[in-house]
Amino acid sequence: MNIQNAIKQLALAGSEMYLTVCTVDAVDEKARTIDCTPINEGAQILGVNLQGNQEQEIGVVSFPAVGSDVVVGFINPAVAVVVLTTELTKAVITIGNTEATVEDNSVVLKTQKGSVTLTADNLKLDIDGTTLELKKGLSTWNSGSETTANATELQTQLNKCKARIDTIINALKSSAVAPQDGGATYKTNITAALSGLTAEDYSKIIDNKIKH
C-alpha cells in the first residue's frame, strides 16, 4: 500500500485520521507489517504498515518488539500505519545504494562497494573486497593467518646483530699476533674483544595481534 496516495484520499475527503493504542502480536519483517490487538480489547488488526510504500524497500522502517505498545493510525478503514512505538528490535534506513541496520549490539552499514559490521565484540570492514576484522587483541587483514613483525623490536635486534658483526670484523683486522706461538696471542685477543658482546634475541619479533 502506498501511504502517500492514501493520505491524499484522506485529505480530499476532508476526513481525520483515527488513532488507537495496540499491543504487538506479530512482526513480519519481509512484508514490513505487524499484527496487533487494541488495548481496549477490540478486534485484532492485521497487516498494519510500517513504512510509507509497501511496494518499495526504501526510507526508514522501525520494527517494534512483540508485546510492546504501538500507536496505530487509520488513514481509512482498510489502511492502518504504525505512528509511534514503545520498544524497537530493529531499525532500517535505506537511501539509494546505502542501507543502515541497527539492532541491539549490532550495527550494519552497507554502501555500493563497502560495508561495516559492528557487534558487541567485533568490527569488520569490507571495502570492495579488501577486509579488516578487529576483535579484542587481534586485527586480521583479508582473512589472513600469517603474523606480522614488530618493526621496533626487529630494528633493535638488527642493530645488535650489526654491532656484533662490526666488532668481529674489527677484531679480526686489528688483533695483535706474536711470532711462533701458534696463534695463541691472536686467539686470546679475539676472545677478549668478543667477550662483551650480547647476542640478539628475535623471540619478540612476531606480533600475533596482527595477521594478514
Side-chain angles (χ1 to χ4, degrees), residues 67-117:
S68 66
D69 292 332
V70 295
V71 176
V72 174
F74 287 86
I75 298 175
N76 63 50
V79 180
V81 298
V82 173
V83 180
L84 296 172
T85 63
T86 59
E87 182 182 353
L88 298 178
T89 59
K90 179 190 292 188
V92 180
I93 302 174
T94 306
I95 303 173
N97 292 318
T98 301
E99 180 179 279
T101 303
V102 181
E103 298 178 77
D104 185 27
N105 281 320
S106 175
V107 177
V108 178
L109 177 63
K110 296 180 180 179
T111 63
Q112 189 170 13
K113 290 190 175 181
S115 66
V116 179
T117 302

Side-chain angles (χ1 to χ4, degrees), residues 193-204:
L194 303 182
S195 62
L197 294 180
T198 301
E200 55 273 13
D201 179 8
Y202 293 101
S203 63
K204 298 180 180 179

Side-chain angles (χ1 to χ4, degrees), residues 6-19 74-77 79:
I7 292 176
K8 288 181 179 179
Q9 294 175 10
L10 180 68
L12 291 173
S15 303
E16 295 182 357
M17 180 181 288
Y18 167 72
L19 302 177
F74 287 86
I75 298 175
N76 63 50
V79 180

